[in-house]
Structures are given as structure tokens and as C-alpha cells.
Amino acid sequence: MKNLLGQVLKELRQQNSLTQREFAKEFGVSHAAVANWENSRREPSLDTLIRLAKFFDVTVDFLLGTES
């Protein structure tokens, strides 16, 4: 799950033409948090995962790779 989540987040961010820093600022987290999620060093909390899904207009299942 970790690796897939990081890949999905990175792809969604890039599809929205955002750098890690731009996304972090717009989403209200640190650049380090975004980098850690994308590199699978850390996982976002459940609340943050839900916020991410809403931000990118996808489901949590999509973020986790359990839905195509």
C-alpha cells in the first residue's frame, strides 16, 4: 500500500501541474510531509487521506490503489 499510495499522490500532483512545494502550500502541510508521503517514508493520517481524496476529487480507494 505504501508504495502505491506515494506513486498515486505524485501522479495526481503532477497531473495538476503542482510542484511538491506548491501542493504543500495549497494543501496546508509542509513540503517535507508531501515528500515523505510520495517517497513512502510516512503515511498520511486517515483524516488527511480523506482530505487528499477530496482535494484531488478521487476516492480514498483510488488513492490506496484498491479502485481503478
Side-chain angles (χ1 to χ4, degrees):
M1 180 179 96
K2 284 185 179 184
N3 290 337
L4 190 53
L5 174 61
Q7 289 174 342
V8 170
L9 286 174
K10 183 175 181 176
E11 288 172 14
L12 288 170
R13 176 182 57 76
Q14 290 175 335
Q15 287 173 9
N16 284 273
S17 302
L18 294 168
T19 65
Q20 284 184 341
R21 289 192 190 278
E22 290 168 338
F23 172 67
K25 185 175 181 180
E26 194 166 322
F27 192 68
V29 296
S30 69
H31 169 255
V34 174
N36 284 332
W37 297 337
E38 289 185 3
N39 292 313
S40 301
R41 282 177 271 193
R42 300 211 184 231
E43 292 181 344
S45 69
L46 180 56
D47 289 340
T48 302
L49 197 58
I50 292 167
R51 285 183 52 224
L52 286 164
K54 288 180 181 179
F55 182 90
F56 287 117
D57 195 28
V58 297
T59 65
V60 171
D61 285 336
F62 182 84
L63 288 177
L64 297 176
T66 58
E67 171 187 297
S68 53

